[in-house]
Amino acid sequence: MYSQLPKPCARNLPAEGGAAGSFAFGQFVLIPERQLLLEDGAPVRIARRARDLLTALVLRPGELVSKDELIAHAWPELPVDEGNLKVNIGALRRVLHDDPDEPRYIATVVGRGYRFVAPVRRSDSPDPGSSADALPKPASALPARSAPIFGRAAMIASILRDLASSRLVSIVGPGGIGKTTVALAVAREAADVFEGGAFFVDLAAVDDNSRVVDAVAAALGLNTLRAESHAGLGELRDRKLLLVLDNCEHLIDAVAGCAHQILTSAKDVRLLTTSREALCLKNERVRRLTGLSTPPAASQLRTEQALDFAAIQLFVDRATHASPAFTLSDANAATIAEICRRLEGLALAIECVALRIETLGLDGMLDCIGNRSLMFVAHPADPERHRTMTALMDWSYKLLSDDAKVVMQRLSTFAGSFTLQSACEVAARDGVDPIRVVEEVASLAAKSLLATEPRDGEVDYRQSAVVRAFALEKLAAHGDRDDAQRRHAEHFLRLAEEAEADGETLPKLAWLARHGAKLEDIRSALSWALDHRASADLAVRLAVTAIPFWKQHGLTKEGRAALERVLGDGFSAHRSAHDDQRLNAALAEMHKGQATP
């Protein structure tokens, strides 16, 4: 049974030219006579040309349909070129949540045409529910689809393959990344393979470990289950089903115990879980979900290119719903790309921001990102914890130990990535020793509140923009921000002094490879010191040691502004004659345009 999951290429519909009846594939049903496409029983908005192309492909599953044939079908007697076909195939793929690199429905045959690769089930009735041949479904219990999915086709396909070989798959990632969306999409795709169907258990509202089993019982209709005993789970031993356990992070130990019992007693039940951290059970397959794809920085985008990126597709979809007057254009594509980049492809954050398109405008959104006003109201139909980014972060924050909260706050002083040693130097004080910092950094990473970045055999850590904005606010609320920022500035002064010494011996490329990533934190430390007169001495020393960073990165204008400010009268008492000599020499060099381009 499970081996059917990852096989999207089987052909089981004879090549037949008529378009009567209905055609089912995945969670979709196409009814050509009614010009209707359904997803999980609900009508889908689809342009006429895209629907015509889908009809032409679905009528010939598994066959190559040439470009000329598709154009003739969708644009009869109209002179159109292949560009129109490509654009409409792209729109069709977005409707089907399909990925051209790992297609579940439409595969490109380069230079020739397209092939529909999913199994198609045909019914002679135009009503897919009126015939036994129309795709009977098991008694599943899954929430209805509420919005299109962007950029997750490859991950969905991978998890479907995982379920074919693993009985426990966990989708792990930070809050708002889209774990529930992906899990439900997988469950809908897989439901027909499981004789007992697919069932969804939302654990967000369960606040007591002892009630986890009851929540599972309610979803599966197992009335004999009791919270104080797992014995009732034995009722599952003869059932073949997929069980989705959503939002497990606040009940992680209880969910792990329940999952272990199910896997032990019911050999034909498979589990799909979503959580900020893994269950850590034997043979658990973990899939870590990352942000939606965004364009590289400084890229020049046109409208069609922008829509190749899932984060922009999501933004455009939500902004269009919020403001019918909004359109993606060549003029605003770069701004939208920058918004999505700064939000690091975090799906919920993008949705929250896009909903304010009418009140803020695109430039206003850019100004707000990175501070409290990022935490916008999302859709009222969303779960309570997802209605604002603040609520979502509070949900994660409340699950942390007191030491983890303190470490998370202090790490927010880092503007970029940092090493474990740097984390200890900045965060270890006032009752939190270095060993504890190491433990809490590992815990925060496991809970998806720190991103990990492998580098040269080591691991760097980084807070996302949303996590950092939240943690900085908590740091300020606890009156700890200036002390933490000073420790951060002192730490990067030491690192800048090391970089300055290396500048005398290392070639530029080698120097940049070793020290270039420190630029954002050098900027942040210097900016803070310049704005705090009590740290004027630190500002002067940072400005002096930062000179190689301006030169090596070719930041002449930025370097001049920093040097001119620290050479002002307000810092004169904190500068030595040697400082003045170095600062003035560097400033003169930059004014002459002799800094490294």
Side-chain angles (χ1 to χ4, degrees):
M1 176 182 70
Y2 303 118
S3 63
Q4 298 175 41
L5 283 170
K7 296 180 180 178
C9 298
R11 180 188 171 194
N12 57 11
L13 178 71
E16 202 273 321
S22 61
F23 302 82
F25 48 93
Q27 70 265 38
F28 297 95
V29 176
L30 175 67
I31 309 174
E33 288 177 294
R34 299 182 184 175
Q35 300 182 354
L36 181 64
L37 177 65
L38 303 175
E39 182 179 10
D40 294 324
V44 177
R45 291 184 302 171
I46 181 172
R48 173 192 165 191
R49 305 294 185 190
R51 188 184 63 243
D52 290 345
L53 292 172
L54 177 61
T55 301
L57 291 165
V58 167
L59 286 174
R60 295 167 59 183
E63 292 185 24
L64 168 66
V65 184
S66 72
K67 296 177 183 179
D68 289 342
E69 289 175 300
L70 289 169
I71 290 173
H73 184 85
W75 292 273
E77 301 179 0
L78 288 179
V80 299
D81 58 27
E82 291 184 9
N84 296 79
L85 176 61
K86 181 180 178 181
V87 169
N88 280 273
I89 288 288
L92 177 55
R93 280 176 167 146
R94 287 192 290 275
V95 169
L96 299 177
H97 326 305
D98 205 13
D99 186 338
D101 295 326
E102 294 189 43
R104 289 183 294 150
Y105 297 116
I106 301 173
T108 301
V109 182
V110 179
R112 300 176 64 191
Y114 299 90
R115 192 190 310 274
F116 197 82
V117 295
V120 176
R121 297 166 295 279
R122 181 177 178 179
S123 168
D124 291 333
S125 169
D127 179 357
S130 65
S131 169
D133 299 325
L135 185 61
K137 292 190 175 182
S140 298
L142 300 174
R145 279 280 305 124
S146 59
I149 302 172
F150 299 97
R152 298 303 192 192
M155 177 61 75
I156 291 167
S158 294
I159 296 172
L160 284 167
R161 289 192 292 270
D162 289 340
L163 284 171
S165 58
S166 178
R167 294 188 58 211
L168 171 61
V169 180
S170 292
I171 304 173
V172 175
I177 202 75
K179 300 184 294 294
T180 301
T181 298
V182 170
L184 284 171
V186 170
R188 293 186 186 101
E189 287 277 339
D192 296 328
V193 174
F194 293 88
E195 294 176 13
F199 295 82
F200 179 82
V201 185
D202 185 359
L203 296 171
V206 179
D207 56 6
D208 185 337
N209 285 329
S210 67
R211 311 308 294 178
V212 169
V213 176
D214 282 344
V216 174
L220 295 173
L222 303 179
N223 297 323
T224 61
L225 289 179
R226 299 186 307 278
E228 64 270 19
S229 171
H230 285 189
L233 291 172
E235 291 189 29
L236 292 174
R237 68 170 53 91
D238 296 322
R239 295 178 65 174
K240 299 178 180 180
L241 57 84
L242 173 65
L243 181 61
V244 181
L245 302 178
D246 191 40
N247 297 298
C248 301
E249 53 273 349
H250 61 304
L251 305 162
I252 199 73
D253 292 335
V255 173
C258 179
H260 174 74
Q261 185 67 22
I262 291 172
L263 294 171
T264 301
S265 60
K267 64 181 178 62
D268 288 322
V269 173
R270 304 220 162 187
L271 296 179
L272 178 62
T273 74
T274 77
S275 180
R276 313 282 166 87
E277 58 182 310
L279 300 185
C280 296
L281 291 179
K282 184 179 180 181
N283 297 324
E284 177 182 18
R285 185 77 57 85
V286 178
R287 284 285 179 177
R288 186 164 293 277
L289 205 59
T290 57
L292 298 173
S293 61
T294 60
S299 57
Q300 298 298 316
L301 288 180
R302 299 184 67 84
T303 302
E304 185 176 343
Q305 296 169 318
L307 286 173
D308 288 337
F309 298 93
I312 295 180
Q313 294 170 18
L314 175 63
F315 183 98
V316 170
D317 181 82
R318 301 303 189 262
T320 302
H321 279 80
S323 173
F326 168 81
T327 56
L328 174 68
S329 66
D330 292 346
N332 63 24
T335 303
I336 294 171
E338 181 63 21
I339 290 171
C340 294
R341 265 196 305 272
R342 292 193 189 181
L343 295 176
E344 301 181 20
L346 187 67
L348 182 62
I350 292 170
E351 292 186 27
C352 291
V353 170
L355 286 173
R356 291 298 184 93
I357 184 71
E358 282 194 324
T359 54
L360 287 176
L362 294 175
D363 291 336
M365 290 178 186
L366 275 177
D367 291 339
C368 291
I369 292 175
N371 56 45
R372 179 72 179 187
S373 46
L374 170 69
M375 313 302 185
F376 296 131
V377 175
H379 196 280
D382 288 341
E384 185 68 34
R385 69 191 182 282
H386 281 181
R387 289 185 188 170
T388 69
M389 289 304 302
T390 300
L392 185 143
M393 287 305 309
D394 274 330
W395 169 265
S396 296
Y397 188 74
K398 290 175 181 177
L399 301 178
L400 300 178
S401 68
D402 289 343
D403 283 349
K405 291 175 181 176
V406 170
V407 171
M408 176 180 167
Q409 292 170 23
R410 293 173 181 173
L411 295 181
S412 67
T413 57
F414 289 96
S417 59
F418 52 88
T419 64
L420 195 56
Q421 180 180 349
S422 292
C424 289
E425 291 197 25
V426 172
R429 69 182 193 283
D430 300 337
V432 183
D433 61 33
I435 293 177
R436 191 64 181 166
V437 171
V438 171
E439 293 172 349
E440 297 304 349
V441 165
S443 175
L444 291 169
K447 291 176 170 58
S448 304
L449 290 169
L450 278 179
T452 57
E453 301 174 344
R455 178 184 57 82
D456 298 333
E458 298 181 356
V459 176
D460 285 347
Y461 300 89
R462 180 179 54 80
Q463 285 183 340
S464 70
V466 170
V467 172
R468 185 172 184 243
F470 178 88
L472 278 171
E473 184 175 280
K474 291 293 185 183
L475 185 66
H478 285 78
D480 200 22
R481 183 163 183 172
D482 281 348
D483 184 48
Q485 293 280 186
R486 183 171 186 86
R487 289 177 66 89
H488 170 271
E490 290 171 344
H491 175 63
F492 276 92
L493 172 61
R494 289 192 292 275
L495 295 184
E497 289 170 345
E498 294 174 6
E500 186 180 31
D502 282 346
E504 299 176 2
T505 58
L506 291 180
K508 178 178 179 178
L509 291 179
W511 187 95
L512 287 171
R514 181 177 297 180
H515 300 291
K518 301 180 180 75
L519 175 63
E520 287 302 320
D521 279 284
I522 297 290
R523 281 170 163 161
S524 175
L526 179 57
S527 175
W528 175 83
L530 287 169
D531 289 338
H532 291 74
R533 287 308 173 94
S535 300
D537 59 331
L538 189 54
V540 171
R541 293 164 65 198
L542 276 166
V544 171
T545 53
I547 290 171
F549 284 88
W550 313 132
K551 290 183 177 181
Q552 296 284 35
H553 286 277
L555 299 170
T556 303
K557 183 177 179 179
E558 183 176 344
R560 283 203 310 261
L563 297 181
E564 287 169 350
R565 186 171 175 187
V566 83
L567 280 167
D569 292 340
F571 295 91
S572 58
H574 303 277
R575 300 192 311 263
S576 66
H578 182 62
D579 289 337
D580 282 350
Q581 181 181 4
R582 291 193 60 194
L583 291 167
N584 279 301
L587 185 61
E589 182 181 356
M590 290 181 184
H591 273 299
K592 292 177 182 178
Q594 295 175 355
T596 304

